[in-house]
């Protein structure tokens, strides 16, 4: 068994597997110099450095050395104030006011497997596809007596490297940390672009590509969530990289709070990526003998374009991030009460909806917002997690049992981190909210944020939620969170620690989630934050799926799914058929297109009123039957973006056993005389034959008569894998009115969608 991590006698370190190599060394001065991150190398310890020791005019030389400046030296974890003028990975000050940080190699060790991070979610080591090894490099700032441990983990079969940092104050005086990034990555000079994702409510995950500018580009959040505004994922791409071509470096964090991922192009054209807790408004007092652990950062590398990069992320997230208990579990189909009734829910209505759920054949009824004491709209009651006595006289456990007795699963909504000023909880504990004395607390959706850094608040929430879950009839919890944080301060912390509140909030949230998911391991938790406002690997470490967006209009959702799929496998996402006209943008679309926009999400369902369901009952029932019979297909397979530009979108999904290939094709605005389009599929067995299964057409109504002979003499259409990949599959034509025999057509009009199902023939 070959080692994943090797070290030479002169302290060059190589972390290498068949996907990539990552190499650095210790310079004679004790600086960790980065040498290579990219394609795999047969002999990684032999790699040549990109940088040289030269005299640079104007550059300062490092601590008296003649030809050595840190300003053009790629480093593993750059300090501050010793000849490197780029943004540092660590900064702060000691008790004397000294703000220079100079970190030197002290020692290293290699572990089989991977230690967990104290109080923080992190990727699992040593399981799934192959083992992992961890390299721990100890650096020291001798003057500050600060010990800095850099953790690097790689896995045998993943194109991902995990990094985190642990600081320990070995002195007898306090050290204050202001920057404590989780990772630094110095790439050699070259032409690069940045791909990052931005948005807002119901418009999440918009991809933007920009050249790496001279100076710094920062995607960050100071909102207390990982946020829709700038997602906590960023990729540095070889200029011009496409889905199939180019070197791509992705970076994300296993963290859900304030973050920053920056890309800096230095004066010598080198590129530095830093990722970690946002240094803005962060400050940590490190008392003598105390430690501080950063969140985990992850990097992935692909030499084969964006599709290759996504494939690494998807495999890794599934194997090493999401809870093992649900990793391979097909997700229940469901009917959610939100768009069916909004806040107007009561026991009779929920039981009627449960009958409807049963009738259309879904697995689960989800009671969304509105069930707790006094909650008639969004102005009150968050925090008072007792069933409203008038509308649910026999309580939630009884309702859950009744729903279960109908042969359904039961799910329920909470927004635990929030409180309305109009609530018993706020009346009893006004100091339990995040707030700053002397400042009026700003509201978001009429609500305030509870101070989860406080153990008493965590205990209260655990008890309230446990009181519902302990009945044993709850199968699913939707964990919502509907505002960004303001006036962030904690009554439980001294003045000198107020800037620790945001991070302590996250530690408190993770601790609560850990307790709940440990106590109720079989409850399926879904992460939601007004859609995707806190969709990240931190939350996915506890909750196997997330509500990616409140945008239920299919056309709005297409871009969101395409964007999110750069990082996330779709088996961590949920989607349902919402109303038409859509409640976010008013668009009218068919039930079929609404379903197909989420067809590759693991958790699929319906959120429609009884009247809306009645209008399309048979079609919805057929779609839910399709969702149910394909639920296991949508776990563990490969999602690929075949085309995502302009008016047409094509997505491919290949099941884990590679026996079935789905291709969803969307034509947004109809137009006459369209070109003949083909979709080139990817990753098929070139020698296998695939049969086009028209079962889908049977289910939802054929767009053309499937009995029409498309030139196959009545035989099923079959295609070789190589032909599907290299020549492609003809996409349906757009036409209104008369249609030619033997041609596959899209449904008439705008916002049309089609699904191909290809089954691999036995060899
Ligand atoms: C926001 C969520 O994204 C919606 O799905 C719904 O649960 C509402 N909150 C309920 O208030």
């Amino acid at each position: 068994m070959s080692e994943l991590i090797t070290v030479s006698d002169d302290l060059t370190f190589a972390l290498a597997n068949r996907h990539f190599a990552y190499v650095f060394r210790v310079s004679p001065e004790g600086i960790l110099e980065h040498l290579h991150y990219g394609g795999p190398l047969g002999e990684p310890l032999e790699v040549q450095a990109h940088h040289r020791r030269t005299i640079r005019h104007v550059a300062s030389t490092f601590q008296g050395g003649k030809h050595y400046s840190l300003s053009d030296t790629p480093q593993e974890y750059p300090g501050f104030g010793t000849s490197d003028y780029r943004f540092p990975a660590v900064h702060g000050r000691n008790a004397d006011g000294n703000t220079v940080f100079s970190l030197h190699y002290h020692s290293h060790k290699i572990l089989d497997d991977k230690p967990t991070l104290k109080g923080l979610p992190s990727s699992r080591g040593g399981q799934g596809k192959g083992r992992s090894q961890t390299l721990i490099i100890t650096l020291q700032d001798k003057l500050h007596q600060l010990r800095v441990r850099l953790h690097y983990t790689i896995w045998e079969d993943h194109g991902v490297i995990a990094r985190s940092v642990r600081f320990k104050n070995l002195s007898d005086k306090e050290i204050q940390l202001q920057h404590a990034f989780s990772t630094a990555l110095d790439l050699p000079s070259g032409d690069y672009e940045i791909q990052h994702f931005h948005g807002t409510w119901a418009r999440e995950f918009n991809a933007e590509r920009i050249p790496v500018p001279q100076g710094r580009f920062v995607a960050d959040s100071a909102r207390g969530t990982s946020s829709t505004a700038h997602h906590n994922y960023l990729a540095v791409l070889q200029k011009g990289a496409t889905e199939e071509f180019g070197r791509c470096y992705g970076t994300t964090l296993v963290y859900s709070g304030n973050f920053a991922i920056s890309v800096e192009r230095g004066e010598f054209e080198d590129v530095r990526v830093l990722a970690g807790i946002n240094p803005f408004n962060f400050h940590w007092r490190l008392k003598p003998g105390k430690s501080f652990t950063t969140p985990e950062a992850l990097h992935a590398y692909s030499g084969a374009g964006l599709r290759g990069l996504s494939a690494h992320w998807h495999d890794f997230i599934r194997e090493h991030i999401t809870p093992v208990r649900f990793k391979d579990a097909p997700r229940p189909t469901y009917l959610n009460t939100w768009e069916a009734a909004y806040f107007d829910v009561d026991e009779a209505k929920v039981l009627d909806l449960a009958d409807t759920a049963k009738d259309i054949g879904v697995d689960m009824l989800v009671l969304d917002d509105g069930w707790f004491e006094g909650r008639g709209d969004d102005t009150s009651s968050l925090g008072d997690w007792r069933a409203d006595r008038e509308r649910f006289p026999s309580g939630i456990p009884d309702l859950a049992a009744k729903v279960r007795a109908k042969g359904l699963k039961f799910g329920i909504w909470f927004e635990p981190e929030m409180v309305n000023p109009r609530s018993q909880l706020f009346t009893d504990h006004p100091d339990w909210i995040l707030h700053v004395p002397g400042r009026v607390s700003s509201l978001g959706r009429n609500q305030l944020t509870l101070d989860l850094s406080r153990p008493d608040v965590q205990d209260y929430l655990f008890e309230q939620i446990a009181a519902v879950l302990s009945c044993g009839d709850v199968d699913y919890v939707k964990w919502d969170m509907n505002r960004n944080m303001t006036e962030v301060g904690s009554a439980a912390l001294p003045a000198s620690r107020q800037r620790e509140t945001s991070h302590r909030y996250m530690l408190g949230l993770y601790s609560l989630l850990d307790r709940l998911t440990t106590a109720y391991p079989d409850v399926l938790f879904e992460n939601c934050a007004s859609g995707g406002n806190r969709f990240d690997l931190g939350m996915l470490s506890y909750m196997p799926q997330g509500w990616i967006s409140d945008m239920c209009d299919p056309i709005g959702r297409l871009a969101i799914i395409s964007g999110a799929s750069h990082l996330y496998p779709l088996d961590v996402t949920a989607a349902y058929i919402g109303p038409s006209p859509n409640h976010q943008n008013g668009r009218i679309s068919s039930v079929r297109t609404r379903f197909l926009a989420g067809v590759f999400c693991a958790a699929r369902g319906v959120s429609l009123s009884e009247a809306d369901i009645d209008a399309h009952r048979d079609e919805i029932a057929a779609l839910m039957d399709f969702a149910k019979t394909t639920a296991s297909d949508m776990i563990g397979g490969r999602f690929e973006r075949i085309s995502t530009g302009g008016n047409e979108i094509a997505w491919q999904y290949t099941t884990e056993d590679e026996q079935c290939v789905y291709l969803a094709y969307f034509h947004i605005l109809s137009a006459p005389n369209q070109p003949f389009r083909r979709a080139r599929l990817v990753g098929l067995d070139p020698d296998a034959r695939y049969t086009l299964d028209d079962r889908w057409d049977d289910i939802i109504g054929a767009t053309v008569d499937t009995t029409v002979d498309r030139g196959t003499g009545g035989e099923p259409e079959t295609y070789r894998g190589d032909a599907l990949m290299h020549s492609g599959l003809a996409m349906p034509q757009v036409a209104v009115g008369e249609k030619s025999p033997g041609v596959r057509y899209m449904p008439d009009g705008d916002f049309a969608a089609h699904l191909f199902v290809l089954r691999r023939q036995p060899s």
Side-chain angles (χ1 to χ4, degrees), residues 189-223:
S189 64
D191 267 340
Y192 300 101
E193 291 173 89
I194 292 169
Q195 181 194 46
H196 73 112
F197 297 86
H198 64 97
T200 183
W201 175 76
R203 284 199 286 109
E204 297 88 346
F205 292 107
N206 298 286
E208 184 178 51
R209 290 266 295 256
I210 50 172
V212 173
Q214 212 71 39
R216 287 179 74 226
F217 169 87
V218 187
D220 68 0
S221 167
R223 297 160 185 255

Side-chain angles (χ1 to χ4, degrees), residues 201 338-339 343 368-369 375 413 415 445 478 480 482 528-531 547 549-550 576:
W201 175 76
W338 184 235
E339 277 92 343
F343 295 99
D368 209 282
D369 198 349
R375 180 77 163 175
W413 179 96
E415 194 177 358
R445 206 198 188 198
K478 181 173 175 185
D480 208 346
N482 286 303
C528 174
S530 297
W547 181 239
S549 176
D550 274 351
Y576 53 55

Side-chain angles (χ1 to χ4, degrees), residues 165-185:
V165 183
R166 187 161 167 83
F167 297 88
K168 184 162 188 185
N169 183 351
L170 304 177
S171 78
D172 55 8
K173 291 184 189 142
E174 181 173 301
I175 298 173
Q176 299 183 11
L177 290 176
Q178 272 168 245
H179 297 193
F181 280 102
S182 307
T183 187
L185 179 63

Side-chain angles (χ1 to χ4, degrees), residues 348-408:
K349 197 173 273 183
V350 172
L351 290 174
D352 280 351
L353 281 166
D355 288 335
T356 304
K358 195 73 195 145
D359 189 47
I360 59 171
V362 299
D363 303 306
M364 180 163 73
L365 188 279
V366 176
L367 173 54
D368 209 282
D369 198 349
W371 58 268
F372 42 99
E373 207 158 82
R375 180 77 163 175
D377 55 31
D378 66 9
T379 62
S380 81
S381 308
L382 290 173
D384 301 342
W385 299 109
R386 297 169 295 277
D388 186 274
R389 264 164 286 164
E390 279 174 27
R391 290 179 291 128
F392 295 92
S394 46
I396 296 303
D398 187 65
L399 176 69
K402 285 178 183 152
V403 170
R404 279 248 190 133
K406 291 178 190 288
L408 293 164

Side-chain angles (χ1 to χ4, degrees), residues 483-505:
R483 64 160 296 179
N484 291 307
M485 296 175 197
T486 53
E487 292 86 26
V488 177
S490 171
L493 292 173
S496 58
R497 288 198 183 272
Q498 287 299 313
R499 280 187 285 166
E500 297 177 8
T501 309
S502 294
H503 183 59
R504 287 185 184 276
Y505 181 103

